Amino acid sequence: TNADLEDLAGRSWEFQQADGRWFLASNCKTRQGMYVGSRVDITERKIMEEALQESEAMFRRVLDACPVPITMYNITDATILYETPAAKQLFGSEARAGDVNRSSRWADTAERDRQLARLREVGYMDSVEVAYRKADGTIFPAAISARHIKYRDDDVIVTSVFDLSEMRAVEEEMGRQREVLHQSEKLSA
């Protein structure tokens, strides 16, 4: 009816036919009061959109399952864009995308500034040992690797962090045991 056409004037909508093809339809009112409709086959676009959604979902599942703490943040204001569950667990935070100033994770802000300047200059860092801070204030040794990338026209840093606490504890225990063994050998001699 004319009322139905009036409601649809200037609008567009997508629909799928029984054969599986997708179309974009639109309806415009002319100056003479008539209506012109168009229908464009968008099946290929819909197939690509679905493939992209599946790819993004798979990528998200892989990152969420990754045991390595990974954080992606905007270099300008330190806003977190993405953080893996492993990073949230390591830092003891419930940080979510959009949280600001996660740079407070660095125990030494001067060291953070030096490393950030170096990262901007060369674009990457691998296994740089630094002191990090958890949400509860605990400072721990860490090895960080990072890449400076462009993401949606923003400067972004992607970092992975390896907590060195256990390795350092094992090294200290081995040193103590070596010293005990050395003392024991001296007594035996």
Side-chain angles (χ1 to χ4, degrees):
T1 69
N2 222 15
D4 290 335
L5 287 173
E6 190 71 36
D7 285 343
L8 295 175
R11 291 188 179 174
S12 62
W13 62 95
E14 296 176 357
F15 65 93
Q16 188 175 24
Q17 290 189 167
D19 66 0
R21 292 184 304 158
W22 281 90
F23 288 90
L24 173 65
S26 64
N27 190 14
C28 296
K29 189 174 184 177
T30 66
R31 282 184 248 153
Q32 292 80 21
M34 305 293 288
Y35 293 92
V36 175
S38 67
R39 188 174 79 161
V40 178
D41 188 336
I42 59 169
T43 305
E44 282 187 42
R45 187 189 86 195
K46 289 301 247 183
I47 290 170
M48 288 189 297
E49 286 174 356
E50 186 176 303
L52 179 61
Q53 288 173 351
E54 287 175 12
S55 174
E56 288 175 347
M58 189 267 312
F59 183 69
R60 178 68 66 153
R61 283 192 307 272
V62 167
L63 279 176
D64 285 348
C66 181
V68 176
I70 298 171
T71 303
M72 180 173 143
Y73 64 93
N74 185 302
I75 200 169
T76 306
D77 61 8
T79 302
I80 289 179
L81 302 173
Y82 177 77
E83 189 169 40
T84 62
K88 292 176 186 177
Q89 183 179 0
L90 174 64
F91 291 106
S93 68
E94 290 300 317
R96 301 209 192 312
D99 282 356
V100 176
N101 208 0
R102 289 289 131 202
S103 59
S104 62
R105 290 178 175 171
W106 289 75
D108 180 355
T109 56
E111 177 68 14
R112 176 200 64 208
D113 294 342
R114 279 191 300 279
Q115 293 300 336
L116 187 56
R118 182 173 165 257
L119 183 61
R120 282 182 169 150
E121 184 180 317
V122 294
Y124 69 95
M125 68 172 65
D126 288 320
S127 299
V128 174
E129 292 190 23
V130 299
Y132 260 23
R133 180 185 330 249
K134 294 183 181 183
D136 65 4
T138 306
I139 294 176
F140 66 98
I144 64 168
S145 295
R147 298 294 183 268
H148 180 195
I149 64 171
K150 284 283 190 189
Y151 175 72
R152 295 183 178 166
D153 293 329
D154 287 329
D155 284 328
V156 171
I157 295 177
V158 178
T159 63
S160 64
V161 178
F162 182 73
D163 184 350
L164 298 173
S165 300
E166 286 183 32
M167 186 169 43
R168 294 291 157 75
V170 168
E171 289 171 354
E172 287 177 22
E173 181 59 29
M174 287 176 61
R176 279 193 288 274
Q177 289 179 6
R178 262 188 265 170
E179 183 60 31
V180 167
L181 181 61
H182 179 68
Q183 293 300 325
S184 176
E185 286 174 350
K186 282 172 49 178
L187 286 174
S188 292

